[in-house]
Amino acid sequence: MHLDVLDQELMCSGHVGCPGCGATIAMRFFLKALGEKTVMVLPACCWSVIAGPYPQSTLKIPVIHSAFETGGATASGVRAALDMRGDKDTTVVTWAGDGGTFDIGFQALSGAVERNEDFIYVCYDNEAYMNTGIQRSSSTPYGAWTTTTPGTDWKRLRKKNIVEALVAHRIPYAATANIAFPEDLVRKARKAKSIKGSKFLHIFASCPTGWRIPSEMSIKIARMAVQTNIFPLYEVEDGVRYTINYKPREYLVREYFKLQGRFRHLTDQDLDAIQEMVNEDWQLLLRKAGEHA
Amino acid sequence: MKRVLEGSHAVAEAVRLARIQVISAYPITPQTHIVEILSDYCASGKMNARFLRVESEHSCLAALIGAQSTGVRTFTATSSQGLALMHELLHWASGARLPIVMAEVNRALAPGWNIWTDQSDSLAQRDTGWMQFYCEDAQEVLDTMLMAYRLAEMVNLPAMVVLDAFFLSHTYEPVDVPEQEEVDRFLPAYVPEFRLDTAHPFALSPLVAPNAYMEMRREIAAAMDEALERLDSVEEKFAGIFGRRYGAVEAVCCDDADIVLVTSGTVTSTARILLEELRAKGEKIGILKIKLFRPFPVEAIRRALAGAKKIAVVDRNFSFGATGIFAQELRAALCNVPDHPPVFGFIAGLGGRDITTEVLASIVEQTKTADAPPAESIWIGLTEAAYAFGRP
Ligand SMILES: Cc1ncc(C[n+]2csc(CCOP(=O)(O)OP(=O)(O)O)c2C)c(N)n1
Ligand code: SF4
Ligand SMILES: [Mg+2]
């Protein structure tokens, strides 16, 4: 496989993420695509730790750590100040987890996108609050165990569709990406960089620790999320033009679920119900993209 | 040039003259006049600044933390609920050592909804690492804003310039508005000690383990102490150009006073009128106006009160389960001074109730007639009628 990315590494080895952490893989590819003229806002999440304790930093770009719910707002301020300094070349990026995006940071993100601030907001999605020990978020999928949806009280609510929420803002560019599809991820990151206004990248990033999977399965399981249509790869321009980037369905939902400890409690009946939901969501997406199954 | 301005306008003029580059604010009564004027200034090109119209006060301060970290001078204004919503980020701004300056219009906290003046909002933020200046009139507001920027940027700490709702924010007074060239001489262009810069990448505000956190906190404490030391030279320079100075505290006729009224904000002006009346009758009254609340000017207060026989503190705020907050701080400042005078704590004017010369006269009278304070806090002017509404 040939990857058209810079040889440049903007992320150092020696970070403190868990082995097989999808969030670190996502960052590495993303920064290769963006390059060094990037300033990153990092609200509280696993990456606050992965980035290293004072006085070290895993990233070779300027980073401003920020309060959990402030990703959209802090980036707005950084952008405004760069503009006032006459620096139009530097790209401002917010790099936040699903909790910091779907939940507590949603207001600030919505505000920034409504103002069409010129920045890229990246949500790396590991489907729970991992930093604090695997608590459910509104990104946690139907059926999942977390420490706050334990035992028989597993999550019986669907995952919030964050891309559609952003699309409803008529955001210039929103796309999903996945650590198992690096060419697609790099292309989308570069595309986001080339567009003015607000951009949103939703990157699926497996978490061996929180999903109860072996670290060597991290990429395979992330890939299966696309191949099952659980996490389709697509992009939306100006809130209306949908493009689906990857279509064949190669696995059934149950095959993906069976590999992960967080879904171990589900019965065949539960899995059938989940398959139905995934099919329904996929049909909906096809319709939006003007395509047919 | 002398102009007739509201306190709010005085803030806006100072922001214009300080050449602020990024402003962010969210509307709340009684702060709105400040941001309305600044919006106009930005829209008309009278100021070369970006105005970020964010969706909450929390995002407002987050945006300024981002902007100031990128190396520009910033400003915001808020009140009451808005300041309370900012609480988390007030700590963040000082911890990140960002010299952000804010105008805080003192307003009561809900419930019940009350838009009138009360110091509980700003005083509840006393431990957040922001300097706090309480102003008496519109001229002082304008001047203090400029000095706050100068001092904040010297010590890398944020500052709050506090003004009473309506009594100051919405009251018109003659104000000497300085020329840009004079202000530029006093307040040079902002040169940040550090900023986000792709040519020199580093991480701001990362994870800090117990091995370094305490030292960082000590540095903030030292910066506060340094601010107290430097205020005098900042005022000196200001006075040299503009001919006005205020001091961390102002002692009026304290040296021979039997009773010193301790005041802050606009109540001080009312106390000045009473002082003239009572002095004319031969009553030895003094006033200690506390302008600087953080850092708390302990030495200056001890000096000013060295000759006082009794002290009466007027608090337009209350810390439930304790006392008025200025009284607390004053008692703490005096407790290690041998034979210090008794401190009477009075609670008055909460939620915008007027503190008239009569109210202050009754405070003086009650202080005069008691040898020792009858209670830690004496609530002034409570009426039966107000309670009666709530009764079945
Ligand atoms: C206001 C506030 N509430 C709670 C926290 C604690 N906290 C820090 S990170 C985090 C979870 C982050 O979850 P997510 O955004 O999904 O990122 P992840 O850790 O999963 O990578 C929480 C709850 C905080 N820092 N600030
Ligand atoms: S808990 Fe999950 S997301 Fe966090 S560092 Fe470990 S693998 Fe990565
Ligand atoms: Mg998460």
Side-chain angles (χ1 to χ4, degrees), chain A residues 16-24 46-47 50 124 126 130-131 134 205-211:
Chain A
V16 293
C18 312
C21 170
T24 59
C46 263
W47 250 103
I50 299 169
Y124 72 94
N126 52 26
M130 296 309 178
N131 172 289
I134 327 172
S206 37
C207 167
T209 309
W211 295 4

Side-chain angles (χ1 to χ4, degrees), chain B residues 295-315:
Chain B
F296 199 64
V298 171
E299 282 308 321
I301 288 171
R302 285 180 183 166
R303 262 197 314 276
L305 294 175
K309 305 213 171 45
K310 286 177 181 173
I311 298 164
V313 185
V314 186
D315 267 305

Side-chain angles (χ1 to χ4, degrees), chain A residues 54 63 65 69 77 84-85, chain B residues 63 71 88 195 202 204-205 207:
Chain A
Y54 170 85
V63 172
H65 291 259
E69 61 284 60
M84 286 308 295
R85 296 184 66 98
Chain B
E88 178 193 26
R195 67 177 174 89
F202 55 76
L204 291 177
S205 309
L207 189 75

Side-chain angles (χ1 to χ4, degrees), chain A residues 23 43-48 50 66-69 96-104 123-135 137 139 207, chain B residues 58 88 92:
Chain A
C45 58
C46 263
W47 250 103
S48 318
I50 299 169
S66 74
F68 194 15
E69 61 284 60
D98 49 289
T101 305
F102 289 58
D103 293 340
I104 198 165
C123 171
Y124 72 94
D125 187 1
N126 52 26
E127 303 197 311
Y129 302 159
M130 296 309 178
N131 172 289
T132 38
I134 327 172
Q135 293 87 17
S137 76
S139 172
C207 167
Chain B
H58 197 278
E88 178 193 26
W92 199 287

Side-chain angles (χ1 to χ4, degrees), chain B residues 232-248:
Chain B
D232 212 41
S233 67
V234 168
E235 286 222 317
E236 187 72 35
K237 181 163 182 200
F238 190 89
I241 300 173
F242 305 103
R244 292 181 295 272
R245 66 184 307 164
Y246 301 89

Side-chain angles (χ1 to χ4, degrees), chain A:
Chain A
M1 180 169 67
H2 172 71
L3 270 183
D4 170 32
V5 289
L6 295 170
D7 291 333
Q8 188 181 23
E9 286 288 356
L10 290 171
M11 186 181 141
C12 306
S13 57
H15 64 75
V16 293
C18 312
C21 170
T24 59
I25 298 166
M27 178 69 90
R28 182 164 168 243
F29 282 116
F30 178 78
L31 283 185
K32 278 174 175 285
L34 266 266
E36 58 191 2
K37 277 204 89 61
T38 304
V39 172
M40 186 166 279
V41 175
L42 206 52
C45 58
C46 263
W47 250 103
S48 318
V49 181
I50 299 169
Y54 170 85
Q56 291 156 329
S57 181
T58 302
L59 302 178
K60 295 188 207 163
I61 53 164
V63 172
I64 174 171
H65 291 259
S66 74
F68 194 15
E69 61 284 60
T70 65
T74 309
S76 304
V78 172
R79 177 76 269 163
L82 287 172
D83 290 350
M84 286 308 295
R85 296 184 66 98
D87 179 348
K88 307 273 181 193
D89 315 328
T90 299
T91 306
V92 178
V93 173
T94 296
W95 185 271
D98 49 289
T101 305
F102 289 58
D103 293 340
I104 198 165
F106 188 65
Q107 172 181 321
L109 168 59
S110 172
V113 172
E114 185 267 338
R115 298 189 299 275
N116 201 23
E117 302 283 358
D118 186 18
F119 79 128
I120 305 176
Y121 190 106
V122 181
C123 171
Y124 72 94
D125 187 1
N126 52 26
E127 303 197 311
Y129 302 159
M130 296 309 178
N131 172 289
T132 38
I134 327 172
Q135 293 87 17
R136 66 89 89 182
S137 76
S138 61
S139 172
T140 301
Y142 187 98
W145 161 91
T146 67
T147 57
T148 52
T149 51
T152 54
D153 199 17
W154 47 269
K155 191 176 173 196
R156 286 183 178 77
L157 296 165
R158 286 165 94 136
K159 180 183 171 103
K160 186 190 282 183
N161 190 332
I162 193 74
V163 173
E164 290 305 316
L166 271 296
V167 162
H169 289 68
R170 290 267 183 154
I171 187 169
Y173 185 64
T176 62
N178 185 304
I179 55 162
F181 295 82
E183 293 112 324
D184 180 72
L185 191 158
V186 165
R187 181 184 65 78
K188 286 169 175 168
R190 284 183 171 162
K191 184 164 176 180
K193 184 180 166 177
S194 74
I195 294 170
K196 253 198 103 56
S198 301
K199 287 82 59 175
F200 183 77
L201 281 189
H202 183 198
I203 306 181
F204 195 80
S206 37
C207 167
T209 309
W211 295 4
R212 301 295 193 240
I213 60 173
S215 55
E216 67 274 17
M217 294 289 280
S218 193
I219 302 283
K220 181 180 169 61
I221 287 174
R223 187 179 300 119
M224 285 175 76
V226 173
Q227 291 167 322
T228 49
N229 287 337
I230 286 173
F231 190 88
L233 291 178
Y234 70 108
E235 49 200 318
V236 189
E237 284 157 284
D238 298 317
V240 285
R241 287 192 306 285
Y242 282 69
T243 310
I244 299 175
N245 309 115
Y246 190 95
K247 258 185 262 164
R249 196 182 79 181
E250 286 139 16
Y251 291 100
L252 292 173
V253 159
R254 71 178 64 235
E255 295 169 86
Y256 170 81
F257 273 60
K258 289 285 186 207
L259 292 173
Q260 304 181 48
R262 62 174 171 158
F263 298 121
R264 203 176 37 209
H265 50 275
L266 298 178
T267 62
D268 282 346
Q269 222 177 347
D270 296 329
L271 291 170
D272 287 343
I274 294 167
Q275 182 71 61
E276 276 305 303
M277 295 179 205
V278 170
N279 292 350
E280 188 187 273
D281 286 348
W282 176 246
Q283 292 305 322
L284 202 60
L285 180 63
L286 285 175
R287 276 209 297 284
K288 284 178 182 156
E291 300 187 29
H292 299 284

